[in-house]
Amino acid sequence: MENCLFCKIAAGEIPANKVYEDEKVLVFHDIDPQAPTHLLAIPKEHVESCGAITPENSAIVAYLFEVIAKVTAQMGIRDFRVVSNCGATAGQSVFHLHFHVLAGRDMTWPPG
Ligand code: AMP
Ligand code: ZN
């Protein structure tokens, strides 16, 4: 999708600090980390948010979680939090589906 930051990162048009990439998904370090490890896991296909998941595109979500499990294990991360902000009020600032993977510090609950 035009003018989508994460589509541009997925296409290699904007650089990112990548930790995993295949034909369907990309995992890279967040530019403004909120924990010692803060990764973003995205589908390469443009999906606006968790609110735009349908029977047609939901398989990519399961696959993203497979990749998150694999990547965190490879990095030696046992405990982590996965977050997806859906909509501006919930804190979404990039309108391309992504899962934050946060690790390396104690997490509080409920989140802010
Ligand atoms: P959200 O606010 O939940 O939509 O998450 C968007 C995330 O993208 C934020 O945590 C930003 O720090 C992160 N971000 C924005 N631009 C970049 C970039 N160029 N490379 C890596 N992460 C980015
Ligand atoms: Zn996009």
Side-chain angles (χ1 to χ4, degrees):
M1 187 188 223
E2 257 182 67
N3 290 324
C4 170
L5 176 63
F6 287 176
C7 280
K8 287 182 180 166
I9 287 177
E13 292 164 19
I14 291 178
N17 187 0
K18 297 175 186 178
V19 298
Y20 176 88
E21 180 169 23
D22 65 25
E23 70 282 358
K24 290 186 288 199
V25 303
L26 179 63
V27 182
F28 54 100
H29 288 276
D30 196 292
I31 207 168
D32 181 21
Q34 301 302 310
T37 300
H38 185 171
L39 308 175
L40 297 172
I42 69 167
K44 288 193 168 176
E45 167 198 7
H46 183 86
V47 176
E48 184 166 302
S49 73
C50 282
I53 294 166
T54 64
E56 287 69 40
N57 65 21
S58 63
I60 198 66
V61 177
Y63 185 62
L64 275 166
F65 275 83
E66 262 183 60
V67 168
I68 288 169
K70 185 163 72 177
V71 167
T72 50
Q74 280 170 356
M75 293 173 78
I77 297 168
R78 262 195 349 183
D79 295 359
F80 57 91
R81 178 173 287 178
V82 179
V83 177
S84 191
N85 300 321
C86 179
T89 309
Q92 188 175 10
S93 61
V94 178
F95 289 82
H96 177 127
L97 179 66
H98 51 281
F99 294 100
H100 297 262
V101 180
L102 299 148
R105 66 167 169 81
D106 289 344
M107 302 286 164
T108 59
W109 192 264

